[in-house]
Amino acid sequence: MTKGRKKTLRSGYTTGACAAAAAKAATWCLLGKATPETVEIPFPDGSRHSFAICRLGQQPAMATVVKDAGDDPDVTNGAEIGAEVNWLAADRSGGIVLTNGPGVGLVTKPGLPVPVGEAAINPVPRQMIKAAVAEALEGSGRESRGLEVKIFVRDGEILAAKTLNRRLGVFGGLSILGTTGIVRPVSAKAWTDTIEASMQVARAVGLTEAILSTGRTSEAMVQGMLRLPDEAQVMMGDYLRYALTAAQRHGFSRIHLAAMWAKLVKAALAVPQTHVRHGALEVRQAADLLVRLGLDRDSGAELRTANTAREIYQRLKTMRRDDLIGAVCRRAQEQARQWSGLPVRVYLVTAEEGVVHVED
């Protein structure tokens, strides 16, 4: 490599995308179709990507894909992710039923995007798997027949021991994850360079306000409300404090901070980098914060038993304590103002409801 030239980090594919590709190839096997060495599937953004098939089988109908995570330091890089498909009994209703095979976990605690008792396959991977299988069934004459798709991961239980799954209540293996199908390489320098470049562009076109978001969902929801120029959108990921101080350096006059509940709780707790590996959120810290903000101690003790920050939010909604949700947003806002020295408007976003709280 030429001296001084930066290496471009290579993106890869999520476990969900690999599972979808394997499921499509396995469905072809079930139908008795000739299966090529590669299979192409649709992604949530409308793009299409091809995957090399590792193994195929007719009885049972199955296929596997070896995950390529690119340059991301992912424990599942190189994992063999597969799908086994079978027709449901004739008396069962149609549709595609997803289940977990060896190496894929089962959800045993609340607070995750998947209900207790379900296979640990997140919502977007579920959609990708069903879309890929539907493509394989198209034109077969069996589109309405019920189909079971069992997702498995070779040595998934061993790999899961290197993750937070057990602490979160996912037992028996890995979670099948992904929100876009693409794994973006984790690199602090890449992130901070992107933040700097985004802010430079925004200021260069004369903008004085920016949307700092922790993810694509939060960004899209708030941009849909504000309708600011595209250059105002700055994806900061987990680099909360860095982005806020950078906003001051670049001369912005106002910040719109868009995040989901767990990230805002971390901001309220003054955690500068919100990734789980940097100042991991302890549920008891969140519960203690809520007590300081006005929750009675008995309820605070009950919240300490929650599995995740998401579950705490769900419990607060059940308790009709929107006042406390607002108090956490205000505390996060105060911390963001302290770090940036700027006026900050906070937007609490959920994937299901959109923007649910705005703190001016």
Side-chain angles (χ1 to χ4, degrees):
M1 184 172 66
T2 304
K3 184 177 181 181
R5 182 178 298 173
K6 296 178 181 178
K7 177 186 176 184
T8 300
L9 294 176
R10 188 170 58 87
S11 297
Y13 293 110
T14 63
T15 50
C18 295
K24 183 173 183 177
T27 304
W28 276 339
C29 289
L30 184 66
L31 293 169
K33 293 183 178 180
T35 50
E37 294 181 354
T38 62
V39 61
E40 184 181 270
I41 62 167
F43 272 46
D45 65 357
S47 63
R48 299 184 68 83
H49 297 259
S50 294
F51 293 77
I53 302 303
C54 177
R55 287 190 295 148
L56 289 167
Q58 292 287 349
Q59 302 210 357
M62 57 80 66
T64 67
V65 168
V66 174
K67 177 178 175 178
D68 178 2
D71 288 324
D72 190 71
D74 191 323
V75 298
T76 58
N77 186 41
E80 188 177 358
I81 299 167
E84 178 184 322
V85 296
N86 294 282
W87 299 116
L88 293 174
D91 58 349
R92 293 281 301 273
S93 59
I96 299 168
V97 177
L98 298 183
T99 60
N100 59 312
V104 174
L106 191 73
V107 176
T108 66
K109 294 182 181 180
L112 298 175
V114 178
V116 172
E118 292 280 337
I121 305 172
N122 272 16
V124 172
R126 286 173 180 264
Q127 295 167 10
M128 292 183 69
I129 293 166
K130 290 181 178 181
V133 169
E135 283 195 349
L137 290 171
E138 189 174 352
S140 68
R142 302 185 183 182
E143 293 88 345
S144 62
R145 185 168 177 184
L147 190 68
E148 178 193 36
V149 180
K150 183 182 295 183
I151 305 299
F152 61 90
V153 179
R154 178 177 284 192
D155 297 327
E157 290 189 52
I158 297 172
L159 295 172
K162 302 175 183 179
T163 72
L164 297 176
N165 271 18
R166 289 183 66 85
R167 194 173 79 181
L168 296 176
V170 175
F171 286 84
L174 292 165
S175 300
I176 303 300
L177 304 173
T179 56
T180 64
I182 301 292
V183 173
R184 306 292 180 188
V186 175
S187 164
K189 188 64 166 57
W191 268 111
T192 55
D193 283 351
T194 300
I195 291 168
E196 294 287 343
S198 299
M199 290 185 176
Q200 288 167 2
V201 170
R203 294 296 288 129
V205 299
L207 299 182
T208 59
E209 299 184 19
I211 302 172
L212 304 186
S213 59
T214 55
R216 297 183 188 279
T217 299
S218 300
E219 180 181 74
M221 294 293 184
V222 173
Q223 173 66 345
M225 288 179 59
L226 299 179
R227 303 292 182 184
L228 292 177
D230 289 344
E231 293 87 353
Q233 300 175 78
V234 178
M235 184 71 69
M236 65 176 179
D238 296 304
Y239 294 85
L240 175 62
R241 184 171 184 174
Y242 182 93
L244 288 165
T245 56
Q248 183 185 53
R249 282 192 287 102
H250 285 280
F252 287 94
S253 62
R254 186 179 184 85
I255 294 301
H256 302 274
L257 179 60
M260 292 190 175
W261 172 252
K263 302 291 188 182
L264 283 183
V265 171
K266 288 188 177 183
L269 290 168
V271 177
Q273 191 172 345
T274 60
H275 194 281
V276 67
R277 294 175 305 199
H278 304 284
L281 171 66
E282 294 291 344
V283 167
R284 64 175 180 274
Q285 290 177 299
D288 291 346
L289 171 64
L290 288 165
V291 170
R292 295 197 298 273
L293 294 176
L295 182 67
D296 64 274
R297 293 191 176 277
D298 288 343
S299 295
E302 290 182 9
L303 285 184
R304 277 174 160 250
T305 67
N307 185 39
T308 61
R310 178 190 177 97
E311 185 183 350
I312 287 179
Y313 175 78
Q314 292 168 341
R315 291 196 192 183
L316 289 174
K317 293 296 288 185
T318 300
M319 296 161 63
R320 298 183 179 179
R321 293 306 304 266
D322 287 357
D323 59 318
L324 288 174
I325 292 171
V328 169
C329 292
R330 285 191 291 278
R331 179 63 64 89
Q333 179 188 47
E334 291 167 5
Q335 187 60 57
R337 286 175 172 171
Q338 180 180 327
W339 281 334
S340 68
L342 299 172
V344 178
R345 177 183 287 178
V346 167
Y347 303 79
L348 171 60
V349 179
T350 73
E352 299 80 12
E353 302 171 88
V355 178
V356 296
H357 184 88
V358 180
E359 194 63 48
D360 282 307

